Amino acid sequence: MSYCWPMPPICSTTFEGQFYDQIFPPSFFGELSDLMGIAQNAPNLSALRQGHYQAFSEFVTGQIEQRNFQSLKAENTRLDRVAKDADKLLQSLTALYDFGQTQGKLKRAVESNPTSFTSSNGHRLASLLDDTRPDNPFFIIKQFVSDISISAQRAKITTPKQSAGLPKSKEGDFDLAAIEALVCDRDLALSGDDAADLPRWKEQSEAHKLGGDHALLQFVKCFKTVWVALSPHPFTQGHYYEKIGHEPSRTLAALKLCFASFAPEINPQAIVTAIRKVQAG
């Protein structure tokens, strides 16, 4: 297999102080290809190395996601803050309508700001000023700010409440302001069907959760694609006999080898469970 190396470095990022190629040297891919039953030629080893790196990256990303995971309550609180702060900015910009001279000063300051941020496509804040509305130059910006507020409210995942019909004013007309608040707060199901809204909320809540095996599952899902593409053997957990330490499954043996280098705490049973979950879809 030595004739296939050295291959170009696959990544310049370090993982806990080591480069990918230091964690997984050529000998690792020799063992892995043997377990997968694939010929050790340059195209196969290159594809295996690239596919394994993608799976490894998914694992690292999964670990970061687990560390940064926040509860629904914490996320909803933060989104509420974003919505409220956006509303405050919207109100402040709207209040400038009665201060034409002040509004003009702010407009000119935005246009002449020498340190104004410029996006990759050349857009600046000044490009959002609405020259077609001399009395309301911040109209477009206010629409974007309003979108942020509404989007932050819609991004929350909260328990749907039973709707008692659309709110009406004392005069008997529909109260549009109250209806808008209900929609933004998700107190009123956007589907208009309370029975359908609760299962949808449960599904969203479940999707939000990250299990303790999240990073492992991300690796196995990605590595399965490589296995199916390269190996003639089935991707299956087989049977693990703890007493004799025998692993008839090539898949299990290969995954054990993968994790031995950087996550030895992942035991065979956890790997078997992850394979079953991935196979179940």
Side-chain angles (χ1 to χ4, degrees), residues 207-262:
H208 174 81
K209 296 176 182 177
L210 287 183
D213 59 352
H214 173 67
L216 172 59
L217 286 174
Q218 296 304 103
F219 181 97
V220 174
K221 285 178 186 176
C222 191
F223 189 72
K224 178 184 177 182
T225 303
V226 186
W227 184 285
V228 172
L230 298 176
S231 176
H233 301 287
F235 187 86
T236 177
Q237 72 272 11
H239 301 282
Y240 178 71
Y241 302 99
E242 186 174 357
K243 291 183 179 179
I244 61 175
H246 181 55
E247 301 146 13
S249 168
R250 285 176 175 264
T251 309
L252 177 57
L255 288 172
K256 274 190 64 181
L257 174 66
C258 289
F259 291 115
S261 301
F262 66 95

Side-chain angles (χ1 to χ4, degrees), residues 89-98 103 142:
L89 176 57
L90 179 60
Q91 291 168 11
S92 296
L93 290 173
T94 301
L96 284 177
Y97 189 79
D98 295 328
Q103 186 171 241
K142 287 190 289 185

